[in-house]
Each structure stands twice: as structure tokens, then as C-alpha cells.
Amino acid sequence: MMVALACGRPALRGAWRQVLALALLAGLLGGVALGAVAGARRTATAYGRYLAAINASDVFVNVPGNLPGLPATRPVSLISSLPGVISHAAYIGLNGMPVVHGRVDNSFLTNSVNGSLDGEYFSQDRMTVLAGRLPPAGSTTTVVLTPAIARMFGTGVGGTISYSFRPIDAQGRPTGPSFIRSYRVAAIAEIPPALVDESDQAEGTVLPPGATRQLLPEYFYAWIGLRLARGTAGIPELQRQLVTLAADLQRQEQRATHDNVSAPTFSVNRSDVIRGQVQQAIRPEAVALSVFGAIAALAMLVLVVQGLTQMVGRSAPDIAVLRVLGATRGQAALAAALPGVIAVLGGVTLAVAGAVAVSPLAPVGPVRRFDPDRGIAADGLVLGGGAAILGLALLGLLAVLAVRSVRPRDSGAGVRSSAVARAAATAGLPAAAVVGTRNAFEPGSGVRAVPVRSALLGSIAAVTAVVFSASLGGLTSHPARYGWNWDLVIQAESGYGSFAPGVMKKLIRGQPAVAGWSEFAFAQLPVDGRVVPALGLRRQLGSVQPPTTSGHALSGPGQIELGTVTLQPAGGAARGRGRADPARGKPANRVASPRRPGRSPRSAGAWPPPRRRSARSLRTWRRTRTGRTGRSGPAGRTWPPRRSAASGHPSTPAPGAWW
């Protein structure tokens, strides 16, 4: 060992510039590779960290306004005390409207005002603060605004806003005069859930519990966020308990009023549906980063091995002298590999340091702004494992090169010619073409030999990385490439209302810029025992719909298209008959759900933003000038379900839509 080290020192002194350049190359590309893979892992897990940081609820339960004979907060107490509930927080919708420039603004887009009853948005499902600080729970004079509402008021943190409130009874009828309350803006924040479709982004005003308690007579509806002991696995049992509770309340009301009243419906919205869809939307960015890291690692291996080959080849005369002086083959190989070992170890060290240095750039995409753990981070699994893999791979290849360099060679052996060059000569190509082909594909001999294969592989890897990066950029900037085959969405009341029958046809018919448009509705549909988001479609002109990736497009009633994720547990068949309650449908094809990378699509069963939802939905897509309407139904006192906790059946689709 000492002999080999002593013999390798002169070679190291003569090649220190090449060693330094090779270490920097390995550090740069290795840092990019490790940083990309670590960034992909950090991006994929960012939403989970966000949910943990905001103390997210497992399920939301709707209380449809005041129940006769019960105080406003009594249903909240009954539901939150059910078995299996480990924590809860509720907010209530208030009958209030913003006062902007001295006038009451009753626009559905801006009149959402919700009050945290016992910590919702403050201790559970916490808001993401963009400016200012969340007010104390007992504050009675402060509010939190979302960005759009702050822009509507033209104010910011520290400003003053006013709302007009009016008390109502259990039927939603006014019971007193309107009055105005003014509040100071304590914070600008985003309301969970994050990364939903733009149409589902919650905009409104949130009051802390202290201010909410002063406005209980203006109570409209309530949503209760529950954390369950069994997580989302406990939701079916919770639904059974809610059915029992609704029956008990029905009997109490019948005894009190002697009327044949119907049982209240406690709607359930599952948080895990949107969680899975957000993760599905984030996955392309994480996969893209992983693939980019793999390409960078491949380029690093190819280029560094090319440099090691040249380094070992240039030491051939010194190796011959060592062999003449009596050095063993192992000692000569170690002496030839010594500069490369130093370059590899230095490069791997720089790669780890570089990956840590670029870690603040992750996570990438829209999820970045919600990650509570931004900044410098060292992923031990990726950095440690990746550095070990790269280091061992390079040292192993270096050992092979060093051993080959000390093998005795037949001095009379000629240089192996390239098959491509021989084919060019046989084909009678001009001499310039044949010579150029040989220079490109033949390594040569002696100290002037070059690693042709490594150079070609390095060029291929570099071009692949550039093309991949350009393709990814083109994908994110051209929605039609990932299934977003419409240009404009028209919706009523932020997607929660509906258009009067025939209005859209009258509006769009005859428009020369419209090449196609469709109406669609959202609900939940049990498929083989699993409740999945469902979309009902009614084509009006052309074919504006999610693209079909296997099978054929829907051609009539009784057919159904399944997304890839839904299709897998349903049996994985692109054709055939399957159970789709409440009616039997034919899964004739599979469909790609269009979504913007990093952002989940609009979904059924998602977390409810603070608006009064309704049970039915009708939207419009238009191609070239396209639109999406919204969910409609009994306005006012509830934020109704897309799935009934009592019946388990999906909400009724829009008239004329088929599944």
C-alpha cells in the first residue's frame, strides 16, 4: 500500500488540475442529481406536512341551520361528543354582507362571512397567514380576510371594514332589523384546503370565537371538523351514528310539535378525497424531478468515467516504468487509480454539499407556499444513500479501469476499427466521410486514445436532460397536452349556483367563436363499494370532455367512464360490466382527469370552503370560449351535501346529464 501511494504521488502532482476539474464536474452534476431527488421527495411529502401543521380534520359534518327546539350550538355539542371523536372545531355561517364604500354588497362571490365557534381555522384546520397575525380567540373587534376580500375592501392589515348583519329564524326568515359592525383587519390568510381547483378556493371573512359568540342570532348553518380516533377509517361508523342521532332528534321534535317532521340530514364531507387528489396532482412534479435527477446522475457517471478513463490512460507510461522497477500489478493499479480516487471522493463530498445548498429551492410548484418546513434541509436517506451509490459506482468503474491499464498488451495488435466506419467504406462513401466516421467512432491508440462510447453516452444524456426539461416546461404551459381541452369556464355564483334552463343555449347559440361546449355536474357515486367523485356530462356542441385514453367515448345512457385510479381497484378492465350503484353501468372505457400540475381538480367529497353549498350542480364547458357553471339548489340555510349521510346515495345530477 505504501509503495503504491509513494509511486502515485508523482502522477498526482502532474494531474492535479485534471483531478480538480473532475471533482468539480462530479460535484456539480452529483449535486444536481441528489438535489433533484431530494427535492422530489420533499415535494411529494409537503402536503402531508401542511396537513399536520394545520391540525387538519378527518371529516366535516354539516348542520343545516337552526333545528327547532334546540339552541344554535346544541347540535354541534351532540355531534362532537359522539364515540370515536378525539377533537373537534366548528364554524358557523353568518347572515352578513360586506359594506363597501357605504353600500351593502350582496354578491355571492364576496358575501361569505364565517365565525369560528370554538377554534376552527385557529387551532384546527388553521389558516395560512400571508400577512399580519391571527387574532386572539377572545377578540371581538378583529377579523381575518382572504386576499380577494381584502382587495375588494381596498384594505390590508390594520385597516377597518364593516359588515351588515341581520338576525334570522330557523326557516331563514329575518326576525329583526339590520345592523352594522366594524372590525379591524388582523391578518390576511388563505383558508384550507390548499391547492384545490381555482373555483373551489375559499374567499371570505373569518371572525374569531369572541366575535362569533356575539352574532349567534345571525346563525345560518354550521360545519364541524372532526378528528377521529381511527382517522378516515372511522367515517363509516360516524355516518351510522349520525343517522341514529338524526332519528333521535326527529322523535324529540315530533313529541314537542306533534307534527310529522322529517329527520335532519347531517351531510358528511370526507377530507381524504381531496388529500388524495392533491397528492395525485403533485405527483407529476415529483416524478419529473426524480427523472431529472436520474438523468443528471447518468450524465455525471458517464462524463466522470470519461474523465477517469483519460486520467488512467495518461498514466500508462508511468505504470510501465513501475512494472519494470518491480511493482506488483496490484500496486501499479492502485498507483494509477490514486488521482481518480481523490477526484471521486472530492466530487461526492461536493455533491452532498451542493444538494444541501440547493435544498431551499424545494418543494417546487404551488405546494411550496404551504410547506411549513421550508429552508435548508438535509435528507439523510437521499443524500446518504445517493452519495454511497454514486461513490461506489464510480470507484468500482475506476477499479476496472485501473486493473485494465496494467494488463500486458500485445504490442503488435492493431486498433479495432468501427463497424460504422467499415460500413461507410464498403458503401463507397467519399474519403472525407469515411475519415470523419472513423474519427467519430474509433478511439485511437496510445496516449491519444479517447473514450468514444463514454463521450457518446455523455452527449446523449446531456441532450436528453435538455429535451426533458423543455418538454416539461411545454407541458405545464400548454394545458391541452394533459387533457385540459377547453379554453374558458363559465360558472354561476362561484360555482355554487346554476343557470336557468335554456339560458346557456340562448347565450352561446350562434356565437361564431364557439367551436364546442358541454354542460357537466358533480356528485359522488358508489362504485363497487367505494364512493368516488363522479362527473355527469351533457354534450351540446362538439366533444368538450375529458379525453378517453382507452376504449371508446360515451355514446349513450347506461355507460360510464372510469379514471385510471378508480379503475384499478374496480378490477382494472377497460371493458366489461361492473356494479355502479344506484344503477348498473358499463365501464366501457377509461378517461384521463384533466388537472393542472400541482393543483387538484374540482372534486366531490372535498373539504368544504366557507360558502353555502347546494346539492345540485350544473356547469358549462366551452371550447375556444368555454364555461363551467356551478352547483345549485336550495339557497340559504345549508351548505348541503354531495352525499347524504343518511342514505349514502349521491346528489342528484343536473337534469338531462348522464353518467
Side-chain angles (χ1 to χ4, degrees):
M1 174 68 74
M2 298 304 297
V3 173
L5 293 176
C7 295
R9 286 173 186 169
L12 180 60
R13 284 195 296 268
W16 70 269
R17 291 184 180 85
Q18 190 176 4
V19 170
L20 179 61
L22 204 56
L24 291 176
L25 176 64
L28 176 62
L29 292 178
V32 171
L34 295 179
V37 175
R41 179 174 155 90
R42 196 173 182 186
T43 299
T45 58
Y47 198 68
R49 291 193 298 274
Y50 162 74
L51 295 177
I54 68 172
N55 194 24
S57 299
D58 295 316
V59 64
F60 284 88
V61 179
N62 173 242
V63 179
N66 282 302
L67 300 182
L70 292 178
T73 59
R74 180 59 178 164
V76 175
S77 301
L78 292 174
I79 293 173
S80 60
S81 61
L82 290 174
V85 176
I86 58 176
S87 68
H88 71 279
Y91 71 87
I92 61 175
L94 298 170
N95 185 30
M97 296 184 181
V99 180
V100 183
H101 305 303
R103 300 182 60 182
V104 175
D105 184 355
N106 62 358
S107 170
F108 188 89
L109 299 178
T110 57
N111 68 359
S112 173
V113 52
N114 296 310
S116 175
L117 194 62
D118 51 6
E120 177 68 5
Y121 298 138
F122 290 85
S123 61
Q124 189 165 309
D125 303 306
R126 283 189 289 268
M127 295 177 283
T128 302
V129 177
L130 306 178
R133 299 177 61 182
L134 293 180
S139 174
T140 59
T141 60
T142 55
V143 294
V144 178
L145 305 181
T146 59
I149 303 303
R151 289 192 297 269
M152 178 196 69
F153 278 111
T155 188
V157 175
T160 301
I161 65 169
S162 298
Y163 268 84
S164 174
F165 296 97
R166 192 172 188 181
I168 56 175
D169 61 14
Q171 285 71 40
R173 296 173 300 199
T175 60
S178 300
F179 61 93
I180 293 178
R181 290 275 178 91
S182 296
Y183 301 93
R184 182 180 60 85
V185 179
I188 308 297
E190 293 207 16
I191 298 174
L195 302 179
V196 293
D197 185 274
E198 288 87 343
S199 298
D200 269 340
Q201 288 179 337
E203 298 289 352
T205 300
V206 178
L207 298 175
T212 302
R213 284 191 290 269
Q214 296 181 344
L215 297 170
L216 288 181
E218 287 69 47
Y219 165 73
F220 231 147
Y221 60 89
W223 279 93
I224 312 168
L226 303 177
R227 291 177 59 84
L228 306 179
R230 297 176 55 203
T232 55
I235 294 179
E237 178 61 27
L238 173 67
Q239 290 178 312
R240 288 189 288 270
Q241 295 170 356
L242 290 173
V243 172
T244 302
L245 176 61
D248 292 341
L249 293 176
Q250 180 187 26
R251 286 191 293 269
Q252 293 178 22
E253 186 176 354
Q254 287 176 344
R255 286 195 298 266
T257 62
H258 303 288
D259 291 333
N260 187 19
V261 297
S262 59
T265 298
F266 297 117
S267 314
V268 171
N269 271 357
R270 301 175 60 111
S271 303
D272 57 339
V273 174
I274 196 170
R275 295 179 194 180
Q277 291 183 336
V278 171
Q279 286 296 146
Q280 189 178 356
I282 292 173
R283 191 175 299 122
E285 295 173 323
V287 171
L289 271 180
S290 300
V291 173
F292 180 75
I295 294 174
L298 176 61
M300 175 224 180
L301 290 173
V302 170
L303 296 178
V304 172
V305 168
Q306 179 180 344
L308 293 175
T309 303
Q310 293 179 348
M311 186 182 298
V312 172
R314 290 174 181 174
S315 66
D318 298 329
I319 298 301
V321 172
L322 291 176
R323 294 288 287 154
V324 171
L325 294 177
T328 64
R329 187 177 299 177
Q331 291 172 337
L334 183 58
L338 181 60
V341 171
I342 295 176
V344 169
L345 295 180
V348 171
T349 302
L350 290 176
V352 173
V356 174
V358 300
S359 62
L361 299 177
V364 299
V367 74
R368 174 180 175 81
R369 64 186 300 191
F370 300 100
D371 185 10
D373 190 24
R374 283 178 288 178
I376 294 178
D379 189 328
L381 178 62
V382 173
L383 299 185
I389 292 174
L390 292 178
L392 291 175
L394 289 174
L395 291 176
L397 292 172
L398 177 61
V400 172
L401 294 174
V403 170
R404 291 181 60 184
S405 70
V406 298
R407 285 180 182 173
R409 288 189 175 89
D410 185 0
S411 59
V415 179
R416 186 173 60 182
S417 62
S418 166
V420 178
R422 291 197 303 270
T426 303
L429 295 180
V434 175
V435 172
T437 304
R438 285 176 175 169
N439 289 336
F441 291 99
E442 293 180 357
S445 61
V447 296
R448 299 178 63 85
V450 293
V452 174
R453 295 188 185 93
S454 299
L456 289 175
L457 289 176
S459 301
I460 293 172
V463 172
T464 301
V466 173
V467 172
F468 178 80
S469 177
S471 300
L472 181 62
L475 176 66
T476 57
S477 60
H478 294 79
R481 296 182 183 177
Y482 51 82
W484 199 294
N485 61 351
W486 60 90
D487 303 303
L488 182 66
V489 170
I490 298 178
Q491 58 186 16
E493 295 183 339
S494 191
Y496 302 106
S498 67
F499 296 115
V503 169
M504 290 308 300
K505 289 184 179 180
K506 184 177 179 180
L507 176 66
I508 298 175
R509 185 183 294 118
Q511 295 290 335
V514 178
W517 67 285
S518 298
E519 297 171 302
F520 61 98
F522 281 104
Q524 290 182 346
L525 186 66
V527 176
D528 287 338
R530 293 177 62 242
V531 177
V532 298
L535 180 150
L537 179 69
R538 182 167 57 192
R539 289 187 291 255
Q540 297 289 354
L541 177 64
S543 179
V544 185
Q545 63 190 56
T548 300
T549 59
S550 177
H552 60 81
L554 299 177
S555 57
Q559 295 183 347
I560 187 171
E561 289 188 282
L562 298 179
T564 304
V565 175
T566 306
L567 184 65
Q568 291 172 352
R575 289 180 179 271
R577 299 191 65 86
R579 182 64 181 170
D581 293 331
R584 181 176 295 272
K586 181 180 179 182
N589 47 27
R590 71 180 67 181
V591 63
S593 300
R595 61 174 50 85
R596 192 164 299 172
R599 187 173 293 275
S600 77
R602 176 178 278 270
S603 65
W607 276 352
R611 289 208 179 273
R612 293 181 285 279
R613 277 190 193 269
S614 55
R616 298 177 63 156
S617 58
L618 179 62
R619 299 200 182 167
T620 304
W621 278 331
R622 286 172 31 204
R623 179 174 294 164
T624 344
R625 294 286 185 270
T626 320
R628 185 164 40 175
T629 77
R631 286 178 283 273
S632 70
R637 71 186 216 123
T638 77
W639 205 17
R642 298 193 187 111
R643 183 172 186 267
S644 167
S647 68
H649 287 167
S651 303
T652 305
W658 37 272
W659 302 96

